[in-house]
Amino acid sequence: MNAEIIAVGSELLLGQIANTNAQFLSQQMAELGINVYFHTVVGDNALRLQKAIEIAQTRANLIIFTGGLGPTKDDLTKETIARILQRELVIDEESLRSIEEYFARTNRTMTENNKKQALVLKGAEVLKNEHGMAPGMVVTIDDITYMLLPGPPKEMQPMFLKYGRPLLMNRLERQERIESRVLRFFGIGESQLETEIEDFIDGQSNPTIAPLAGDGEVTLRLTAKHHSAVEAKKSLDKIEKAILERVGHYFYGYNDDTLFTKVIEQLKRNNKTIAAAESLTGGRFLAELTAISGASEVVRGGIVCYTNEVKEHVLRIPHSVLETDGAVSEPCAKLLAEHVRTLCRADIGVSFTGVAGPSSLEGKPVGTVYVGIAMDGRETEVYSLTFGGDRETIRTRTAKYGCFAVLKKLAAAF
């Protein structure tokens, strides 16, 4: 099966909402082994929708629609499809009763146009809407299957999972499963990562390898296709092992992992606590950590030491260090990490100091960064870094680097 997903709604084209339906459905199709080669978004216009459908008919044998099943005049998905397929729209009595019961239950007056939501393509299999009013439907004509789903995700997703997905599984001639895995890397650029595994990328067929650069990070999406989920997993394991043998030093997690969630996870696993002294990052590091559920078990606290006065009088950095070496220096970063660890009675102290811009500071250029890591019973380490980009990019990458450094220290120590 080759599928195309057509999302209907002018609000999508205007950027008022994101097309999360297409993302969800593509993930579901991948699990079913159905190829999705095209996503189309079209506004609430019958002529343009007709043209989109006619194009999809030339390149897909499964066309899934989301949106345009409501009661108003701009909800025209099923009417347009009915005209193209020359298929009559008829009232689905069960859906109509459900709509009427909803209005009675909520003490609202049902207007005549709400009956429109109960219209379905004649001969279609009706997909019950248990979280809204407009039913979905599936019909196959001339070897093309048309699946119509409502637009609101809270209606579309449960409808597809309960009714649409099983229906497609029954229609597949052979169930070929697509398994994907995302490998996450930090501290290596996309071009360098690609160079390191260039032969794997050039020789890819199954599994496939897709690099993607993020905010100071790089991911590799590995995708394997096989009738057996077990065999697909074996293929992914094999290519993952080969990749990590070359660039494993930069690897930190899988799929939806973030550097911050991994730090919380590893601190819990090792029964360690952390505190931070943040000058350059202004609290960003701790804000990201404490946004994660369960962070209170391992995050002791910290100090936003944006001025030299706070560094000196709260974190007790000697005036001589600030005067001689400066706040943006290795000695200052070292003492900040050590003192915040002691002050907060944490196992690990992290410090961030540097120049985010837009102008230089203490004679040091924009992008100069020092990250200190102090651990009980171990020598404090300071990382001297240089980041490019604007102020926000430098601050974000600095906080992420702190996470990555903590992860590496934890791995080495425990």
Side-chain angles (χ1 to χ4, degrees), residues 121-163:
L121 294 163
K122 188 174 182 179
E125 295 183 59
V126 178
L127 309 180
K128 189 176 179 180
N129 190 339
E130 297 176 349
H131 299 268
M133 286 185 276
M137 65 203 79
V138 178
V139 64
T140 300
I141 297 175
D142 296 331
D143 297 324
I144 299 177
T145 297
Y146 303 82
M147 177 177 285
L148 286 67
L149 301 169
K154 66 179 183 180
E155 298 178 29
M156 186 277 291
Q157 292 185 14
M159 178 188 290
F160 178 83
L161 291 173
K162 188 169 183 178
Y163 300 109

Side-chain angles (χ1 to χ4, degrees), residues 170-340:
N170 289 334
R171 294 190 178 196
L172 288 170
E173 292 181 5
R174 56 175 189 164
Q175 293 184 25
E176 195 169 54
R177 189 173 181 86
I178 296 177
E179 295 284 343
S180 289
R181 181 182 304 170
V182 175
L183 309 183
R184 295 190 168 275
F185 300 86
F186 184 83
I188 184 172
E190 182 183 17
S191 58
Q192 183 186 347
L193 179 62
E194 191 169 313
T195 299
E196 295 286 346
I197 60 169
E198 188 173 11
D199 54 326
F200 295 151
I201 294 174
D202 289 343
Q204 66 179 313
S205 56
N206 186 20
T208 59
I209 306 169
L212 177 65
D215 191 3
E217 302 184 34
V218 187
T219 62
L220 290 177
R221 177 175 290 277
L222 313 179
T223 304
K225 197 171 187 179
H226 202 281
H227 299 300
S228 164
V230 173
E231 292 303 317
K233 182 180 180 301
K234 285 182 180 178
S235 296
L236 293 178
D237 289 344
K238 182 178 179 181
I239 190 64
E240 177 190 327
K241 181 181 178 183
I243 290 170
L244 294 187
E245 283 176 354
R246 298 188 186 179
V247 291
H249 179 70
Y250 303 100
F251 170 76
Y252 76 83
Y254 296 96
N255 300 322
D256 295 327
D257 287 337
T258 70
L259 285 160
F260 298 97
T261 60
K262 291 300 291 183
V263 164
I264 295 295
E265 176 187 313
Q266 291 302 317
L267 287 170
K268 287 181 179 180
R269 181 173 296 171
N270 293 292
N271 195 29
K272 298 297 178 183
T273 57
I274 194 168
E278 301 190 59
S279 179
L280 167 72
T281 48
R284 180 166 301 193
F285 177 78
L286 284 175
E288 292 287 352
L289 287 183
T290 55
I292 299 164
S293 177
S296 59
E297 298 176 33
V298 293
V299 177
R300 296 287 294 175
I303 304 292
V304 176
C305 48
Y306 216 60
T307 64
N308 282 0
E309 287 79 10
V310 173
K311 292 180 179 72
E312 182 175 351
H313 299 298
V314 178
L315 284 162
R316 300 186 179 182
I317 306 303
H319 182 77
S320 58
V321 170
L322 295 172
E323 183 132 310
T324 305
D325 299 292
V328 182
S329 67
E330 183 175 327
C332 183
K334 178 178 183 292
L335 292 173
L336 285 172
E338 292 172 348
H339 291 184
V340 79

Side-chain angles (χ1 to χ4, degrees), residues 330-407:
E330 183 175 327
C332 183
K334 178 178 183 292
L335 292 173
L336 285 172
E338 292 172 348
H339 291 184
V340 79
R341 186 186 72 79
T342 303
L343 182 67
C344 295
R345 298 180 181 178
D347 297 304
I348 301 171
V350 187
S351 68
F352 304 92
T353 184
V355 187
S359 55
S360 61
L361 180 67
E362 300 179 346
K364 299 178 178 73
V366 173
T368 301
V369 170
Y370 295 94
V371 176
I373 308 286
M375 294 179 68
D376 188 21
R378 294 179 179 272
E379 187 175 348
T380 301
E381 189 167 357
V382 177
Y383 303 87
S384 176
L385 311 163
T386 303
F387 290 127
D390 59 18
R391 182 179 177 82
E392 284 306 294
T393 299
I394 292 168
R395 283 157 52 89
T396 297
R397 290 184 177 177
T398 300
K400 286 185 174 183
Y401 190 92
C403 282
F404 190 66
V406 169
L407 287 174

